[in-house]
Amino acid sequence: PTVTIATPAPGQPRPKGSLYIASPESLTRVDLKTHNVLWTTPANYPLAPLVMGKTLFFDDQGSTSPTLEAASVKTGTVAWSNQAYPNGFLLGSRNMLYDSTCDFLSTGASCHVYGINASTGAQIWSYDLTHGTTWIALQNGVLYGVSYTAYFALNAATGVPLWQKDLLRYTDQEAIMNPVVRGNVLSFVSCNATKQSSGFPGCYLYAFNANTGQELWHTTIGDTSAIQVTPTIMGGVVYAATNDGTLHAFRERNGEQLWSANVDGGLI
């Protein structure tokens, strides 16, 4: 497809850096200052790319053989491609990649979190996800995961579990989005319409001690307002937005609601 980049309004500074565009059949790098396409590399169906240093990583969701690929930021040339990691949720730090994947194409679908050498694509460790699809976050050498029914922390270098907790002890939950970690707080949202309840009672917002997994607090937000975006933590406050266009602010340490405001329109 032809890439079109808007021109800044008169008097506005032109941004610096690059924009990476993942679209069916290609991955493109655009210079934000000049609007020039620096390179385009073929790909079946690339997911959102991850840039670390001089290398760009992306899951390519092919129809029969999904791959994890590494390409040069400068030229787009593929450095390595590995079919061992079906498409999933990709994170990285220094010389490590972390891919939370489920292989639904093979008989008896299996899910794993992989620790991967970013230079070669070689697997360093693997952790079985018995609870299915898992959303991940990374902080200070710890990989945090939230599945439909559990949440846990792994040593990011070795894959060794640090702790794991059961989400089923809460009623009406179905975690379906990435957690967020700031300092010593792990926060995420779960909503439920099908798994553990017959109705839709709303959504829970949680905060846990990131070192131990012990609950700090949890709260509901209305009976019909779904939260379907990852919360944000800033300055001791947890912010969560609902589909009806309302933004809520809660005190990080105890869950006390500080305020809520309608910001017009959905926030998905």
Side-chain angles (χ1 to χ4, degrees):
T2 301
V3 177
T4 302
I5 306 296
T7 302
Q12 294 295 317
R14 290 179 179 268
K16 298 179 181 179
S18 294
L19 173 68
Y20 298 90
I21 302 172
S23 56
E25 300 184 357
S26 68
L27 187 65
T28 302
R29 180 186 177 189
V30 177
D31 185 282
L32 286 174
K33 187 173 183 179
T34 65
H35 301 177
N36 292 333
V37 174
L38 300 178
W39 52 255
T40 296
T41 190
N44 291 319
Y45 200 98
L47 304 184
L50 169 69
V51 176
M52 294 199 306
K54 299 180 180 180
T55 307
L56 177 147
F57 304 92
F58 62 97
D59 283 310
D60 192 356
Q61 192 175 10
S63 57
T64 58
S65 56
T67 58
L68 174 62
E69 303 197 16
S72 166
V73 165
K74 184 177 181 179
T75 66
T77 303
V78 174
W80 55 258
S81 177
N82 197 322
Q83 293 184 2
Y85 318 108
N87 54 79
F89 303 98
L90 187 64
L91 293 177
S93 178
R94 298 182 181 178
N95 196 43
M96 286 283 291
L97 297 174
Y98 306 95
D99 213 358
S100 173
T101 74
C102 288
D103 184 1
F104 295 116
L105 298 178
S106 63
T107 302
S110 60
C111 300
H112 306 273
V113 175
Y114 295 104
I116 303 163
N117 185 305
S119 298
T120 65
Q123 178 182 309
I124 296 176
W125 55 260
S126 174
Y127 180 75
D128 293 343
L129 299 174
T130 58
H131 302 286
T133 302
T134 294
W135 293 261
I136 55 177
L138 180 67
Q139 178 181 267
N140 297 334
V142 178
L143 190 70
Y144 298 89
V146 178
S147 73
Y148 296 117
T149 58
Y151 55 103
F152 57 87
L154 307 177
N155 182 307
T158 64
V160 173
L162 302 176
W163 53 260
Q164 178 168 312
K165 303 292 182 180
D166 187 2
L167 193 56
L168 289 175
R169 71 176 184 269
Y170 302 97
T171 58
D172 304 314
Q173 80 298 306
E174 179 183 333
I176 54 170
M177 62 206 76
N178 286 348
V180 62
V181 188
R182 292 290 184 275
N184 194 39
V185 176
L186 167 68
S187 181
F188 60 89
V189 171
S190 71
C191 300
N192 189 290
T194 59
K195 289 191 181 309
Q196 310 299 327
S197 68
S198 58
F200 185 73
C203 300
Y204 287 88
L205 173 65
Y206 304 91
F208 300 95
N209 183 307
N211 292 331
T212 64
Q214 295 301 311
E215 180 184 324
L216 300 175
W217 51 267
H218 75 277
T219 185
T220 58
I221 300 180
D223 293 330
T224 60
S225 299
I227 310 172
Q228 292 183 330
V229 293
T230 297
T232 298
I233 304 176
M234 294 189 300
V237 178
V238 180
Y239 300 93
T242 59
N243 290 0
D244 64 2
T246 303
L247 181 64
H248 300 267
F250 299 89
R251 199 178 303 279
E252 178 189 281
R253 68 173 183 270
N254 60 13
E256 174 191 356
Q257 182 154 4
L258 302 175
W259 52 262
S260 64
N262 189 284
V263 294
D264 274 339
L267 294 164
I268 294 179

